[in-house]
Amino acid sequence: MADPVVVLEFGNEVPRRSFDGLLPPEVLERRVRIDPLGNPGLCANVEDIDAQAEYWVHRLDALPEPPRTVLAYCSGARLAASVAFRMNDARLVLFDPVSLTADTVQEVFVASVDTIAGGVPQDGVPFIADMPPDRALVTARSYIRKSALVAASDVPEDILNALIEKQSTWLAFTLAASSPKPWEKCPDHVFLSAGMSWEEHPGTDVKRFDISAVDLFHTNQVMHTLAPLLT
C-alpha cells in the first residue's frame, strides 16, 4: 500500500493547478489536500508560517498513518517546508517554488485593489511593504474596502464582504510567507518549468522541463519522473 501524501494546492487559483493528474492511482487514493488559504486564522490577522504549519500538522496528526511526502507549488512552498519539517522531516517535493519578498506583498496588494475595484483606477494606493505585517494587513483591508465601496456601491454587502475577506486572506498569507526568516527545511526535489530557477543546494535534486507552468501538472514525462519519489 502506498504511503499517504500531503498536497498543498490553492483551491481558488485560475487556472487551477493540481497534483491529482500526476499521482499514481494508489497514491491518489491516499492523498490529503491542504488549501493554505483554508486556515481560519488568516481572516483576522497575519499568522506566521510556523503557526500556520502547526495548525495543519495538528490536523494531519489525526490520520491513521503519518504522510511521508509533502508536495507544493509556487508560493505554497515555504509553508510546505515548515509542514514537512514538523512531520518527522517528511520528503519535500516542490513545483516551481518561489520565495516571496516585500515587493511581492505590494504587488499582491495592488492586484487585490484592482480586482476588488473591477479595474477602476485607484489613486494613492498605500505602500504597505515596509510596514509590520499586522499593520500592513489592517491598512490594506481598509483601503480595499474603501475602493470596493467606491467602485461597486450597488453590490450587496454580504457579497462585498466575502470578496474583501478573500482578498485579505490571500494578502495575509503573502505577508506571512514573505518573512525573511530562513526556511526550516530545504526541498529534497524541485521540478521547474521553462523560465523558472532555483538556487542550487547540495541536498536538493533539481529537475528542469521545457514546458509551461500549467503543463508541468499535465505531462507524462513529469508524472513518470515524480512516481518513484512517492514510494
Side-chain angles (χ1 to χ4, degrees):
M1 181 180 292
D3 292 328
V5 301
V6 173
V7 300
L8 276 70
E9 299 175 359
F10 296 99
N12 292 326
E13 182 185 40
V14 178
R16 176 78 186 277
R17 283 177 284 182
S18 174
F19 291 102
D20 284 5
L22 299 175
L23 302 179
E26 64 276 13
V27 176
L28 185 59
E29 290 179 358
R30 310 195 74 197
R31 179 261 295 128
V32 180
R33 180 181 286 124
I34 286 175
D35 184 340
L37 303 186
N39 180 345
L42 290 176
C43 294
N45 52 44
V46 181
E47 280 198 349
D48 67 28
I49 290 296
D50 291 350
Q52 293 182 45
E54 293 287 353
Y55 172 85
W56 292 115
V57 170
H58 177 69
R59 280 144 187 80
L60 294 171
D61 283 343
L63 297 174
E65 295 179 56
R68 298 186 182 180
T69 303
V70 178
L71 296 97
Y73 62 83
C74 197
S75 54
R78 180 169 189 158
L79 174 59
S82 292
V83 169
F85 176 75
R86 287 166 172 76
M87 293 171 54
N88 296 318
D89 204 27
R91 182 189 296 117
L92 179 61
V93 182
L94 301 179
F95 279 43
D96 283 349
V98 295
S99 295
L100 304 186
T101 65
D103 289 340
T104 312
V105 169
Q106 189 67 22
E107 291 169 5
V108 168
F109 175 41
V110 172
S112 295
V113 171
D114 184 65
T115 297
I116 206 77
V120 177
Q122 303 292 306
D123 296 326
V125 178
F127 186 76
I128 65 169
D130 58 355
M131 296 181 183
D134 284 331
R135 180 184 167 198
L137 183 61
V138 169
T139 301
R141 285 172 65 98
S142 175
Y143 190 84
I144 288 171
R145 175 171 290 278
K146 171 187 169 185
S147 300
L149 290 173
V150 171
S153 57
D154 57 341
V155 175
E157 186 173 358
D158 58 337
I159 295 177
L160 188 63
N161 287 338
L163 290 171
I164 293 170
E165 285 304 311
K166 178 181 176 182
Q167 298 300 325
S168 299
T169 298
W170 175 229
L171 183 59
F173 178 80
T174 304
L175 282 161
S178 65
S179 167
K181 289 172 55 179
W183 288 30
E184 292 184 293
K185 175 179 171 62
C186 290
D188 298 290
H189 303 275
V190 170
F191 287 57
L192 297 177
S193 62
M196 295 297 290
S197 62
W198 186 254
E199 184 176 346
E200 298 291 341
H201 186 275
T204 302
D205 174 34
V206 179
K207 306 177 188 300
R208 295 177 172 82
F209 301 86
D210 191 21
I211 54 180
S212 71
V214 173
D215 287 341
L216 197 63
F217 292 81
H218 301 283
T219 304
N220 286 338
Q221 182 186 5
V222 176
M223 179 176 64
H224 295 317
T225 305
L226 176 62
L229 308 180
L230 304 176
T231 58

